[in-house]
Amino acid sequence: MEEKNIGSLYATSQRLIRLTNTTFKRYLTHTIDWDSHLIAIKGQRGVGKTTMLLQHIKERFGTDTTALYISLDNFWFMSHSLTDIVEYHYNHGGTHIFIDEVHKYNHWQTLIKNMADEYPDLHIVYTGSSMLKIDYNEGDLSRRQVVYTLNGMSFREFLDFEGVVTVNPLPLDTILSNHSDICSDICSDTKILPLFDKYLRYGYYPFYKKDTAGFEMRLQAVVRQILNEDMPTVEEVTYPTIQKISKMLMILSERVPQTPNMTELYREIETNREQGLRMLNILERAGLITLLHRNIRNFGQLSKPDKILPGNPTLMYALSPEINKGTLRETFFYNQLSTVGNVTLPSKGDFLINNKYLFEVGGKNKTFNQIKDVADSFLAVDDIETGHHNKIPLWAFGLLY
């Protein structure tokens, strides 16, 4: 391939790297072993995967073109192949390639596998939709790569992003045992509750800073992109099915926190149980809803959920016509805890963490009445700055990652 046909990709890569701000970094940046030969990073659209890649390239390689960033939604790939650019980059001294939006490419798993085999000393990092089912259908990548998932911003990261306070991620056991001192220390110089309200409204997605006033409309546009653009590249779905999935999302957004009558839901979107469960699974993997069960599910198992919540609190403000305070609290709690542990629905209380810790989630007047006789039980309470004993401020669970 002639160099003039490929120079635009290098120019785009260098421009994006140069313009990337490295002041704030997502939590996963410090967890990834960037020296691995093959790295996969999954995540919902809008949570910062691209920025994280560009930050890493800028800090490690600067303007050195041995590292190349490409996005597969670039129009260049309408008439050129990924294989061509990889071969050119390698033959011209390239040592690292960072591939964004891999789900946009047909048969991407086979292609990545072949790249890893044919260029064993080329470091490959690729990102894709949270819906990716790596190794389900084609290519054997499981033994060749390290897979990471980038979640949306935690409340801890939001505080750092806003320049309010910098706090290291805290293990759950540390929060449970030492929350009084932790919260008192943070709140001594910070009005935490107004910041927590702001986080719930728009803090899960880092792009809020670019347009806070129009944020909800932009997030709605992101949801439409997930449904109309990303979903068909990952799932074998027809346009009518996408319409049904979109309708299902809006129905659920209006009805949470109640578990809907599933038979009625399937009837409303004109589908059967099997397809309805598949649609729910797709929406969950897309990060748009959360399906809760009494027991930890087997991988890939499709079963009727015992409760349905929005994917994260910020989505509630963009999609729900009314904000139910109880649902908002539970959504935040589950969203933060599920990143660091297994969360199930117990027979008593609201959430069971790692089959050990029982939690009730509520407002500041919440009592232990429902779980008073249960060992390792706690209250996660909203609208308080600090707590005592087993009564813990809800916002403190945003310090986990």
Side-chain angles (χ1 to χ4, degrees), residues 65-331:
T65 56
T66 56
L68 174 66
Y69 165 85
I70 55 175
S71 176
L72 295 185
D73 63 0
N74 189 313
F75 277 113
W76 190 91
F77 291 100
M78 297 295 289
S79 57
H80 301 86
S81 73
L82 177 58
T83 303
D84 289 338
I85 180 60
V86 172
E87 182 176 5
Y88 179 92
H89 183 59
Y90 182 81
N91 289 339
H92 287 75
T95 59
H96 293 73
I97 190 163
F98 298 81
I99 305 169
D100 218 353
E101 306 279 2
V102 74
H103 57 279
K104 299 285 188 179
Y105 211 84
N106 290 333
H107 308 294
W108 64 269
Q109 292 207 54
T110 298
L111 185 61
I112 294 292
K113 171 187 175 295
N114 291 340
M115 287 167 50
D117 289 342
E118 295 169 10
Y119 306 97
D121 53 343
L122 177 66
H123 292 267
I124 303 166
V125 181
Y126 70 90
T127 76
S129 165
S130 59
M131 291 181 282
L132 288 185
K133 295 184 288 188
I134 296 176
D135 291 327
Y136 267 42
N137 300 313
E138 57 176 302
D140 181 12
L141 292 171
S142 58
R143 294 185 299 275
R144 306 165 188 265
Q145 68 182 349
V146 184
V147 181
Y148 299 91
T149 298
L150 180 64
N151 297 288
M153 284 208 302
S154 66
F155 183 47
R156 181 196 69 82
E157 290 182 292
F158 175 78
L159 293 174
D160 189 9
F161 197 33
E162 286 287 297
V164 176
V165 62
T166 299
V167 182
N168 291 326
L170 298 174
L172 177 59
D173 287 345
T174 299
I175 292 175
L176 297 183
S177 62
N178 200 33
H179 64 87
S180 294
D181 291 340
I182 293 167
C183 295
S184 295
D185 185 51
I186 293 174
C187 292
S188 63
D189 298 315
T190 305
K191 294 291 185 181
I192 202 71
L193 296 182
L195 290 165
F196 186 51
D197 289 339
K198 290 181 180 179
Y199 167 78
L200 295 174
R201 182 175 289 275
Y202 51 76
Y204 193 74
Y205 298 91
F207 64 79
Y208 77 85
K209 274 201 172 183
K210 296 180 180 178
D211 183 17
T212 303
F215 173 75
E216 287 187 13
M217 291 186 62
R218 183 171 175 184
L219 182 53
Q220 290 173 4
V222 167
V223 172
R224 286 193 292 271
Q225 284 181 297
I226 293 172
L227 295 171
N228 297 323
E229 297 178 24
D230 296 345
M231 192 175 296
T233 65
V234 178
E235 296 286 335
E236 294 182 0
V237 291
T238 62
Y239 180 69
T241 300
I242 293 173
Q243 288 183 306
K244 290 181 180 181
I245 293 174
S246 301
K247 183 177 181 180
M248 174 183 277
L249 175 62
M250 296 316 299
I251 291 173
L252 293 174
S253 298
E254 293 173 358
R255 296 182 184 176
V256 293
Q258 299 87 359
T259 300
N261 181 309
M262 304 308 291
T263 302
E264 178 183 338
L265 176 64
Y266 301 152
R267 184 170 59 249
E268 284 189 65
I269 60 175
E270 300 178 339
T271 193
N272 56 36
R273 179 183 181 276
E274 180 181 357
Q275 287 302 310
L277 288 175
R278 178 174 175 244
M279 293 177 187
L280 287 170
N281 177 260
I282 291 172
L283 285 172
E284 183 181 41
R285 287 192 292 109
L288 299 177
I289 64 171
T290 294
L291 306 178
L292 286 81
H293 296 78
R294 295 291 177 191
N295 301 301
I296 298 174
R297 285 176 291 172
N298 295 326
F299 181 74
Q301 176 185 1
L302 296 181
S303 60
K304 175 186 173 183
D306 293 300
K307 192 171 186 177
I308 301 175
L309 292 174
N312 62 71
T314 304
L315 276 173
M316 286 188 65
Y317 284 97
L319 301 180
S320 301
E322 296 182 8
I323 301 301
N324 179 289
K325 192 70 171 177
T327 304
L328 186 68
R329 292 163 177 158
E330 291 188 6
T331 299

Side-chain angles (χ1 to χ4, degrees), residues 172-173 175-177 179 333 349-351 353 356-362 366-368 371 374-381 388-392 397:
L172 177 59
D173 287 345
I175 292 175
L176 297 183
S177 62
H179 64 87
F333 184 86
D350 290 325
F351 297 102
I353 313 301
K356 179 180 181 181
Y357 300 120
L358 182 67
F359 285 91
E360 277 274 325
V361 179
K366 189 75 175 178
T367 68
F368 280 93
I371 55 174
V374 181
D376 292 319
S377 59
F378 302 84
L379 297 182
V381 180
H388 62 280
H389 300 302
N390 287 18
K391 185 175 184 178
I392 305 172
F397 294 97

